[in-house]
Amino acid sequence: MDLDESYVDDRRERANEPLYIPPIAAEPTTSINLAQTLFQPSEFDESLEDQLAQSISSCDRRHPLVSTEIPNVFPHRYDKNFLILTSAGKPIYAMKDGDGTIAYMGVIHTIMNYFKLKEDQDLRCIENGDVRFAFLDREPIVLVAYSARGETSNELFSQLDFLHSYLLSSLSERQLSKIFSKRQNFDLRNFLESTDFENLDEICSLLCERLYPDALLGALRSLSMKKSHRAQLHEAMSQQLTKEKDLPRGTLLYGLIVAPENKLCSVLRPKGHTLHTTDLHLLFCLIFHRFQNLDDSQELWVPICFPKFNANGFLYGYIKFLPKCNSILVLISAQKDAFFNLKSFADHLIKDISSNGLLEEIHKAKGFKISDIPAPLVHHFIYKSKKHVQYVMPELELHSDTEPEQLIELERKFMTYYQQIHNSVVRDDGLAFNKSCLNFIRWDSDAIEPSEEPIAMLGLGWITPKFELYLICNNGVDDKHVIFESAKRIISWCRKHESRLFVNEGAIF
Amino acid sequence: MNSSVTSIKLVLLGEAAVGKSSIVLRFVSNDFSENKEPTIGAAFLTQRVNIGEQTVKFEIWDTAGQERFASLAPMYYRNAQAALVVYDITKPQSFIKARHWVKELHEQASKGIVIALVGNKLDMIENGGERKVAKEEAEKLAEEEGLLFFETSAKSGENVNEVFLGIGEKIPIKKPGEQANEQSGLRITDDQRVDLTNSVNGPVRSAGCNC
Ligand SMILES: Nc1nc2c(ncn2[C@@H]2O[C@H](COP(=O)(O)OP(=O)(O)OP(=O)(O)O)[C@@H](O)[C@H]2O)c(=O)[nH]1
Ligand SMILES: [Mg+2]
């Protein structure tokens, strides 16, 4: 293969093995320091382009093979597991328990005791070849991740933290400590309900099998919709609040409309307060796994602990399925008897937004496709706006006959690319190498079977103080100039349509 | 058009998976789902029923049976005028739980609360399943405690409407303002009794009437 080393940042090439994925993406060799140059689409910095041009040598002489499907660079199946146990070593949960994982709990317990982690450092990692173990000690709970997927410590940490947060959201820290203060040896499995195990399964599957960058990026996916429609929704929320002056203080803390696929549509919140994204991720998971089959005849009143907001107490969620748009209205209160106050608020709001057709507009908001953006050779991308703590990505374009298993396969493939691209621009502790950083990453391999196409995949990760962009090119693309141009176009496009793509302030009270 | 609407606040209590949500689904939407999700927290639903000249609006709290939510139950039954205490006739444990609920309601709920004891999943017996809670035993409890008693199947729909009609028949209809503090949520615009002439299978009524 005839590649110029100087622009191949991460060569995924091995002579004998058809495909090799290093456990951790190597430190990028051509990350460009943008620390001083904040991105401005109009006056795009020449210096950056120069630097980049220098690092990109003449194009590959190979004939580029461009295809509309991207190959899978990640064939392993049983390469990851999550375990949860009590500090006393009693098993609570294992994502995969096929090979008697529960039996390992004792070993893990011993390792944990050996560590006796320091107060300020509740995470430990052990590496062994391609495999990495991460331990998170959250007395009285210990969480363990095992992964051969090349995730950073920080990534595994945030996944374990997510699982721990789920337990808290269901039980609350207070209840948990109460249980274990009485009996250290308590078997928590007796206290958890079947729904808890199902929810843990769902979260694990989201983290390991789906295109769910929410946890990786610490951001929410937003619903793209017309700016004026979103403004009208927020206006309706604000007006309703003004009308219900007698809604006692503290009764309504937070309001959300969430569209299918966990997309944030609009927000109602007090000035200066936002909920932590982890809390919202948990809420969204609950909504779309527990309440999928809701119909609009019922309204729910659900106690939930938001661990990042207050791990010791419960808040109460009024949850109502919105007719005509498959979305869900959530109103959150600190008072357990506020249901009817919130219901009246919701009734009026829904009447308002259904009479002027806004519900249909939410339904019509269908996202965008990669072909809507003039970004040649880009297969797919994720754009995160740091200010909004939200991200967008093009809808996956599926054949009408895609089976659920194929969809999972596809999502997992995408997610693997994004994880590796992400890891090529952040350090092991999750921080970016520089304030701004741009890196190309590449995966190569010859075809294993004659019928398969060789893998020549190129990805780009670009982090600045304002945005993060991760993009995957079509297989066979290797012209970095074109990709860089496309990346700039995507960024300009996302910025231009910012108010359509993201939920800005929301309705503030 | 009749202008009189009576609201009846009703709460469902009972062990997890006995079929509370299924009974409500049958009553509200005349539907059944084989794999109904466990309720988290509680669900609020309403259903209007025309009974003669009268419209009765049931305001229903379908609570979660999971033990973890038990401490929230008082919030739902505190203002309720009626309660369905549901058990599964194939699960003895659920009948024990039902006894506890009846006791708790008598101790904690409003004095005039109308309680219906409901043994659900009757269809399973009819399809060869084994009954584990004798009808006589439940009838005895109903008699002692002054409860209405029904055996139902949310799956086939058998007897489900009768439960609600039986409740409607038992709720005392009072003039507006009367006993306002005791039943603050009851909006009564007519002093006529609910006419439940279409109640087909009359409920097995117990002796102790507590109205
Ligand atoms: N055969 C049969 N199955 C029933 C009947 N009623 C409910 N089920 C089934 O029993 C299971 C539990 O029903 P739910 O209605 O969810 O029970 P629940 O009491 O609301 O449970 P929680 O919400 O967890 O408290 C579901 O799978 C129902 O399909 C019935 O009358 N006959
Ligand atoms: Mg239920």
Side-chain angles (χ1 to χ4, degrees):
Chain A
M1 218 183 269
D2 193 6
L3 290 172
D4 185 340
E5 282 290 342
S6 71
Y7 72 85
V8 179
D9 318 304
D10 279 298
R11 277 187 79 164
R12 313 280 174 174
E13 209 181 346
R14 288 297 179 279
N16 300 330
E17 299 166 49
L19 190 64
Y20 172 74
I21 309 299
I24 297 146
E27 201 161 310
T29 52
T30 56
S31 64
I32 292 167
N33 188 347
L34 297 174
Q36 264 65 49
T37 49
L38 299 194
F39 181 77
Q40 271 144 356
S42 48
E43 35 153 302
F44 200 89
D45 32 279
E46 306 269 294
S47 62
L48 169 67
E49 233 166 328
D50 286 349
Q51 280 182 56
L52 192 76
Q54 278 164 22
S55 78
I56 297 175
S57 65
S58 64
C59 280
D60 190 357
R61 271 143 262 155
R62 254 187 341 164
H63 220 64
L65 185 143
V66 177
S67 108
T68 50
E69 302 238 322
I70 55 169
N72 197 347
V73 295
F74 204 79
H76 312 277
R77 297 230 106 222
Y78 301 102
D79 48 11
K80 189 155 179 184
N81 206 351
F82 291 116
L83 310 170
I84 308 179
L85 57 160
T86 68
S87 295
K90 281 229 155 70
I92 299 171
Y93 172 79
M95 176 170 82
K96 293 185 201 129
D97 194 24
D99 46 0
T101 319
I102 297 287
Y104 296 131
M105 297 280 183
V107 180
I108 290 161
H109 181 52
T110 314
I111 297 173
M112 291 306 293
N113 280 343
Y114 182 71
F115 279 162
K116 262 302 151 230
L117 307 176
K118 283 188 249 127
E119 287 262 312
D120 58 330
Q121 197 194 8
D122 53 3
L123 177 78
R124 284 287 180 111
C125 271
I126 304 178
E127 274 171 66
N128 181 7
D130 295 354
V131 179
R132 188 176 268 234
F133 282 91
F135 299 82
L136 180 63
D137 185 6
R138 291 281 167 82
E139 175 84 44
I141 305 285
V142 172
L143 303 101
V144 185
Y146 156 91
S147 172
R149 294 193 186 179
E151 288 139 307
T152 61
S153 311
N154 184 66
E155 225 176 294
L156 295 177
F157 167 78
S158 68
Q159 293 171 2
L160 292 178
D161 181 65
F162 196 12
L163 292 175
H164 181 246
S165 298
Y166 171 74
L167 287 181
L168 294 184
S169 80
S170 184
L171 300 173
S172 88
E173 181 105 59
R174 177 187 295 159
Q175 202 167 7
L176 211 54
S177 357
K178 214 166 93 187
I179 293 170
F180 283 96
S181 68
K182 276 193 211 134
R183 214 144 54 87
Q184 276 208 314
N185 227 356
F186 190 79
D187 188 345
L188 197 63
R189 280 178 301 185
N190 297 333
F191 199 75
L192 294 172
E193 301 282 355
S194 60
T195 42
D196 288 314
F197 294 108
E198 287 165 25
N199 288 343
L200 285 169
D201 282 344
E202 281 294 350
I203 291 174
C204 287
S205 129
L206 272 181
L207 290 174
C208 303
E209 310 293 334
R210 311 306 298 245
L211 178 51
Y212 182 75
D214 302 50
L216 181 67
L217 303 178
L220 298 168
R221 187 169 183 194
S222 46
L223 177 77
S224 320
M225 72 187 292
K226 245 176 132 176
K227 181 183 176 185
S228 58
H229 291 144
R230 181 132 42 212
Q232 280 174 46
L233 270 178
H234 286 139
E235 180 57 27
M237 287 177 155
S238 297
Q239 272 189 5
Q240 200 48 51
L241 258 190
T242 335
K243 273 188 220 153
E244 310 226 352
K245 278 233 169 53
D246 50 341
L247 204 65
R249 282 204 157 268
T251 301
L252 178 59
L253 287 181
Y254 212 81
L256 298 158
I257 295 177
V258 190
E261 298 181 289
N262 288 358
K263 289 184 193 162
L264 181 66
C265 170
S266 51
V267 171
L268 173 73
R269 63 183 175 89
K271 201 170 183 336
H273 284 274
T274 52
L275 282 180
H276 194 285
T277 40
T278 301
D279 289 341
L280 291 174
H281 288 155
L282 288 166
L283 177 69
F284 287 19
C285 285
L286 192 68
I287 289 175
F288 281 101
H289 297 124
R290 281 289 130 215
F291 309 139
Q292 254 166 356
N293 308 326
L294 265 192
D295 61 69
D296 58 1
S297 72
Q298 49 185 320
E299 292 152 282
L300 299 184
W301 189 236
V302 178
I304 176 170
C305 167
F306 287 107
K308 306 291 176 187
F309 175 81
N310 173 9
N312 282 316
F314 280 94
L315 296 179
Y316 296 83
Y318 167 92
I319 295 171
K320 162 110 183 156
F321 184 84
L322 295 174
K324 294 183 233 167
C325 66
N326 292 329
S327 296
I328 287 192
L329 172 70
V330 185
L331 301 173
I332 291 166
S333 176
Q335 295 157 0
K336 71 173 172 190
D337 53 1
F339 176 84
F340 286 102
N341 287 326
L342 297 189
K343 174 177 164 55
S344 134
F345 179 88
D347 286 346
H348 290 119
L349 178 66
I350 293 167
K351 198 165 156 218
D352 205 23
I353 60 179
S354 52
S355 67
N356 58 16
L358 280 174
L359 288 180
E360 281 92 341
E361 293 302 337
I362 299 176
H363 187 61
K364 276 191 232 152
K366 277 285 178 277
F368 59 90
K369 291 190 178 138
I370 184 72
S371 52
D372 294 343
I373 304 159
L377 305 185
V378 175
H379 187 73
H380 195 260
F381 70 87
I382 299 176
Y383 176 91
K384 171 183 165 183
S385 169
K386 288 193 173 167
K387 175 173 80 176
H388 300 97
V389 207
Q390 291 160 31
Y391 75 90
V392 288
M393 60 185 179
E395 300 297 325
L396 295 181
E397 287 167 56
L398 303 170
H399 301 294
S400 53
D401 57 353
T402 308
E403 302 285 329
E405 302 82 50
Q406 290 174 307
L407 177 63
I408 291 183
E409 199 59 40
L410 186 74
E411 290 193 21
R412 195 177 129 116
K413 183 164 79 179
F414 272 99
M415 196 59 208
T416 314
Y417 278 111
Y418 283 124
Q419 268 171 335
Q420 298 200 2
I421 296 170
H422 181 259
N423 292 358
S424 78
V425 285
V426 299
R427 297 191 317 217
D428 193 48
D429 62 4
L431 298 173
F433 283 109
N434 285 306
K435 235 191 240 158
S436 298
C437 170
L438 182 152
N439 188 42
F440 283 100
I441 176 169
R442 130 165 239 146
W443 300 263
D444 282 300
S445 91
D446 294 328
I448 305 166
E449 306 272 328
S451 59
E452 286 176 12
E453 49 180 319
I455 298 177
M457 288 291 294
L458 190 63
L460 168 72
W462 188 353
I463 294 185
T464 77
K466 295 201 170 162
F467 66 82
E468 293 172 16
L469 175 70
Y470 307 94
L471 70 77
I472 303 172
C473 303
N474 292 324
N475 193 18
V477 170
D478 57 6
D479 187 334
K480 293 190 182 178
H481 279 296
V482 174
I483 295 308
F484 185 56
E485 285 307 318
S486 288
K488 287 194 294 180
R489 291 218 180 108
I490 290 171
I491 290 156
S492 306
W493 188 87
C494 290
R495 297 212 133 193
K496 187 168 154 220
H497 297 101
E498 188 175 281
S499 47
R500 219 183 88 188
L501 298 179
F502 300 106
V503 181
N504 201 7
E505 289 277 274
I508 305 222
F509 59 94
Chain B
M1 271 306 295
N2 72 65
S3 56
S4 61
V5 179
T6 306
S7 287
I8 296 181
K9 292 174 186 296
L10 181 149
V11 63
L12 285 96
L13 300 164
E15 196 176 69
V18 295
K20 297 179 293 299
S21 301
S22 300
I23 289 173
V24 176
L25 182 65
R26 175 61 72 193
F27 176 56
V28 172
S29 312
N30 195 19
D31 203 352
F32 178 75
S33 153
E34 280 295 343
N35 35 25
K36 193 117 182 66
E37 291 271 318
T39 306
I40 306 285
F44 183 77
L45 300 97
T46 58
Q47 171 71 319
R48 283 164 189 266
V49 190
N50 285 326
I51 302 158
E53 281 296 286
Q54 193 83 28
T55 302
V56 177
K57 181 183 172 200
F58 284 97
E59 298 181 359
I60 303 167
W61 274 115
D62 169 23
T63 65
Q66 292 184 358
E67 203 50 44
R68 135 160 10 141
F69 300 108
S71 63
L72 292 174
M75 188 165 89
Y76 302 112
Y77 64 63
R78 198 182 305 129
N79 296 317
Q81 296 146 273
L84 303 194
V85 174
V86 186
Y87 65 93
D88 176 344
I89 58 171
T90 69
K91 298 253 159 58
Q93 183 58 38
S94 72
F95 186 67
I96 296 174
K97 185 78 203 167
R99 280 186 194 274
H100 285 291
W101 279 123
V102 171
K103 184 159 175 281
E104 178 166 340
L105 285 172
H106 278 152
E107 286 166 8
Q108 316 272 348
S110 31
K111 251 184 31 238
I113 192 164
V114 175
I115 304 172
L117 181 66
V118 179
N120 189 40
K121 308 203 184 178
L122 193 56
D123 60 284
M124 292 177 76
I125 311 298
E126 284 153 11
N127 289 315
E130 195 186 340
R131 174 192 280 275
K132 295 272 176 61
V133 181
K135 191 171 184 183
E136 297 69 36
E137 192 181 356
E139 273 170 341
K140 184 160 159 278
L141 175 68
E143 189 138 347
E144 285 164 9
E145 300 285 340
L147 320 171
L148 302 178
F149 172 64
F150 302 84
E151 286 191 332
T152 60
S153 164
K155 188 169 178 175
S156 70
E158 187 175 351
N159 244 354
V160 170
N161 285 346
E162 283 68 23
V163 177
F164 291 88
L165 296 174
I167 294 269
E169 195 176 38
K170 262 227 157 178
I171 298 285
I173 301 300
K174 299 189 178 73
K175 289 195 175 86
E178 207 177 307
Q179 284 197 6
N181 47 355
E182 193 182 289
Q183 305 192 338
S184 51
L186 189 58
R187 282 182 289 119
I188 296 157
T189 51
D190 196 327
D191 62 349
Q192 277 180 349
R193 256 190 167 275
V194 180
D195 174 22
L196 277 165
T197 40
N198 20 2
S199 176
V200 212
N201 307 338
V204 182
R205 240 161 263 140
S206 54
C209 172
N210 47 11
C211 35

